[in-house]
Amino acid sequence: MPSHPGSENPGAETAAVVDLTAAIIAVSNEEPRILTVGEAGRNGGDGLDSLPSGPLEPGDRTLEAGLRRWVERQTGQTLGYVEQLYTFGDRNRALTGPAGPRVLSIGYLALVREARPAQAEAAWKGWYRYLPWEDWRDGRPEVLDRLQPALVEWAGRAPTKDDIRLRENRLGLTFGLHGGSWNDERVLERYELLYEAGLVPEAHRDGAAAPPECAGAAVDTANPMTADHRRILATAIGRLRGKIKYRPVVFELMPPAFTLLQLQRTVEALAGVRLHKPNFRRLVKRQGLVEETGETALETGGRPASLVRFRQEVTLERPAPGVRLPIVRRTG
Amino acid sequence: MPSHPGSENPGAETAAVVDLTAAIIAVSNEEPRILTVGEAGRNGGDGLDSLPSGPLEPGDRTLEAGLRRWVERQTGQTLGYVEQLYTFGDRNRALTGPAGPRVLSIGYLALVREARPAQAEAAWKGWYRYLPWEDWRDGRPEVLDRLQPALVEWAGRAPTKDDIRLRENRLGLTFGLHGGSWNDERVLERYELLYEAGLVPEAHRDGAAAPPECAGAAVDTANPMTADHRRILATAIGRLRGKIKYRPVVFELMPPAFTLLQLQRTVEALAGVRLHKPNFRRLVKRQGLVEETGETALETGGRPASLVRFRQEVTLERPAPGVRLPIVRRTG
DNA sequence: CCCTTATATACTCGAAGCGAGTATAAGGAG
DNA sequence: CTCCTTATACTCGCTTCGAGTATATAAGGG
């Protein structure tokens, strides 16, 4: 056990319980999905969905091994691509009060190729069900019509004039209000802003930032999740949206052979934004991300598309292969 | 306490000790520095440097609060910008054997404005002292002359021909060997590769990946650190190098007023790469990152340079303001 | 058989960004 | 006054990117 200089009470280390939580993502039918386990039937649950999770156990040699063990036990899924996201450990975020043991939850992002039927308790759900304001594929989502006035009002409730301007600027950067543009990667910032504004039920549940004046909870029409799982989901989406732009991770979600349009639809589903078709094709081809299989897909409805597969070699060639996305301007 | 479905032994949660470790960075005299606390005088220490760190205590409401408390106690530094990096929890990384309590260490990156005289035990050290192969400002560092043959030999030691090609490709991507280019952000990947190759003493100390045939430890002329602190430093540098390109974090390290060349030298110090002066100026100006103070710096040695300050407003205006860097091509 | 429709695929154009180089301005030292 | 040093401004060419348009190839209906 390491001793630390400056420690007045050497035995004061917190004995923490480490919780491992996975945001497992797949894409099917042009819809990004998240693997959830229902909370309804047990624990006096409130019917909210959860992410697969469980405590680290002494037998786990690595954190990732513990995560894989839990996910397989709870959902039957074997994980491929896994990446650590963030470690949460604030007192108010934990389920236990200040008296109970410290709970540390480590969030992970995992990608799996296909949404095969999961175990009884587990289910794949579209992720925009939990964060509907993130889906701009069919234009500005209507949830924002309800959210926007509440957000603007929240900005106006700031104590000083400077604080009001600060909040308005934050709204511009995150939600594209006041002339700002929509940035698909700022998923977590948007969620945290809604949390701060008291517009998601989690904020009231945790007892943090719940001023009685705001009629917040009524505005959020999305499904919340247990504990801080929706925050972890938001973190995962933001990280994934960022990563597809400079690493070929989309292909972890694609079948062995696919058409370029299928690839585009998958990227659009993840990013929540529509792309310019000719430019997307040009980009993918110039980067050498795919190669033709020789076969064609006939079920397109129009001219048959040639099937392609991912070129594993690019991982070894180019320093930053990925699918760059356009900046959606002027959406406020 | 949450109960988890599928848990065969509900009481099997690991009681872990949480260690908070900070990589605190400042830049002075065109040299990036890291705040260290010496290990020499205590604990039967091996004379290695450490990063400020200490266990999370029950009184800490948030993880960051615990970190700030430790840093202030050990070094007298008050932290400004703080960002979580990664959580390490593997068995072999911990100081204790498989029998002892689980140690989880959470790494943080912190930026402070000036290297004011730290507390007795603490000291600012140039970070390239620990990772000398990362400094390409005066051309290719000579350490690589010693490292390169060992790396090439390590690649050749792979079991199969495919594995050899894989390792060679990794060398190309990380160290720019075999015709690859140098990417300043892959600091962690380079350190981990050296670790795997048994070329840093930490690998032998941990007992991981230490094949007796390699004369590894002799090659690494850099200073190691205690525990996994050098890995955390590598993580911090990589993250910082990436972040300055799309967020105006460099200014956390600058004095209130500075010249454009001073800014450029700071960026170069962090990135470990030289930049094209006219292009750097054009970039900073076009992005609107700075504004003139009206005063001039006379001690330049040539024509006086006008002093500028950071424009706080850009944080609220542009979605991704930062200092883009060139790609150094063909360095193998 | 031709026409419509739907999708795939190829090509073009202009604007912006960037790497690289060059020219001019304004201080100090001798 | 000349030289040296650094600051600052400008130019050129290449690449990338957003956006739009044109052509190819299937199915199906009259």
Side-chain angles (χ1 to χ4, degrees), chain A residues 206-227:
Chain A
D206 296 354
E213 348 104 42
C214 64
V219 178
D220 180 16
T221 55
N223 294 32
M225 297 179 116
T226 56

Side-chain angles (χ1 to χ4, degrees), chain B residues 210-290:
Chain B
E213 348 104 43
C214 64
V219 177
D220 179 17
T221 56
N223 294 31
M225 297 179 116
T226 56
D228 54 358
H229 288 189
R230 204 159 138 202
R231 183 185 309 270
I232 293 173
L233 174 60
T235 312
I237 296 175
R239 185 80 132 256
L240 182 55
R241 284 182 172 178
K243 203 136 198 177
I244 52 174
K245 289 164 198 163
Y246 62 96
R247 285 289 149 87
V249 283
V250 216
F251 301 102
E252 303 279 341
L253 302 164
M254 300 298 295
F258 50 89
T259 70
L260 286 179
L261 186 59
Q262 281 168 3
L263 181 65
Q264 182 182 342
R265 292 283 179 254
T266 305
V267 173
E268 288 174 339
L270 297 174
V273 165
R274 287 266 168 246
L275 300 176
H276 189 273
K277 190 165 161 178
N279 290 350
F280 180 83
R281 296 172 58 85
R282 174 177 64 185
L283 193 75
V284 173
K285 291 197 145 181
R286 185 169 40 79
Q287 298 234 51
L289 291 171
V290 296

Side-chain angles (χ1 to χ4, degrees), chain B residues 49-249:
Chain B
D49 295 329
S50 294
L51 300 178
S53 75
L56 178 69
E57 288 181 6
D60 302 319
R61 210 184 57 78
T62 68
L63 299 176
E64 223 184 273
L67 183 87
R68 286 173 193 271
R69 182 180 51 74
W70 273 113
V71 170
E72 230 158 301
R73 205 181 288 179
Q74 289 182 358
T75 72
Q77 261 291 350
T78 307
L79 299 183
Y81 180 92
V82 169
E83 175 184 336
Q84 195 189 96
L85 288 174
Y86 200 80
T87 301
F88 302 93
D90 292 4
R91 268 254 174 265
N92 61 338
R93 295 279 157 71
L95 294 171
T96 54
R102 188 75 171 220
V103 177
L104 227 71
S105 76
I106 311 182
Y108 283 84
L109 162 68
L111 304 179
V112 297
R113 187 145 281 115
E114 47 179 74
R116 65 166 174 188
Q119 212 152 301
E121 293 191 21
W124 290 99
K125 306 253 173 91
W127 80 23
Y128 292 120
R129 161 201 202 95
Y130 305 102
L131 304 156
W133 50 86
E134 295 294 340
D135 189 2
W136 285 65
R137 285 177 294 173
D138 302 320
R140 181 190 160 88
E142 325 96 52
V143 210
L144 282 176
D145 294 341
R146 282 186 295 272
L147 236 38
Q148 179 158 354
L151 286 168
V152 172
E153 194 223 353
W154 166 78
R157 271 208 312 277
T160 72
K161 256 209 153 77
D162 272 2
D163 284 331
I164 291 179
R165 285 203 44 165
L166 241 95
R167 283 189 181 182
E168 282 173 349
N169 271 319
R170 265 182 81 195
L171 285 178
L173 281 172
T174 53
F175 283 92
L177 264 44
H178 307 116
S181 60
W182 181 263
N183 185 328
D184 61 290
E185 293 183 36
R186 312 211 164 193
V187 188
L188 182 62
E189 282 167 76
R190 282 188 280 270
Y191 175 79
E192 304 229 294
L193 194 146
L194 291 172
Y195 187 100
E196 259 184 70
L199 294 173
V200 294
E202 289 96 318
H204 306 274
R205 193 177 62 200
D206 296 353
E213 348 104 43
C214 64
V219 177
D220 179 17
T221 56
N223 294 31
M225 297 179 116
T226 56
D228 54 358
H229 288 189
R230 204 159 138 202
R231 183 185 309 270
I232 293 173
L233 174 60
T235 312
I237 296 175
R239 185 80 132 256
L240 182 55
R241 284 182 172 178
K243 203 136 198 177
I244 52 174
K245 289 164 198 163
Y246 62 96
R247 285 289 149 87
V249 283

Side-chain angles (χ1 to χ4, degrees), chain A residues 272-325:
Chain A
V273 165
R274 286 269 169 244
L275 301 176
H276 189 272
K277 190 164 160 179
N279 289 351
F280 180 83
R281 297 173 59 85
R282 175 176 63 183
L283 192 75
V284 172
K285 292 197 144 182
R286 185 167 41 80
Q287 298 234 53
L289 291 171
V290 297
E291 62 190 359
E292 311 235 335
T293 64
E295 293 163 57
T296 53
L298 293 163
E299 63 283 5
T300 53
R303 170 175 170 178
S306 70
L307 285 168
V308 296
R309 74 171 77 90
F310 174 52
R311 278 187 66 237
Q312 281 291 347
E313 305 92 290
V314 292
T315 325
L316 309 170
E317 293 167 2
R318 297 184 39 81
V323 191
R324 279 192 268 309
L325 301 179

Side-chain angles (χ1 to χ4, degrees), chain A residues 117-137:
Chain A
Q119 213 153 298
E121 294 192 19
W124 289 99
K125 306 252 173 89
W127 79 24
Y128 292 119
R129 160 201 203 97
Y130 304 102
L131 305 156
W133 51 85
E134 295 293 340
D135 189 0
W136 285 64
R137 285 177 295 173

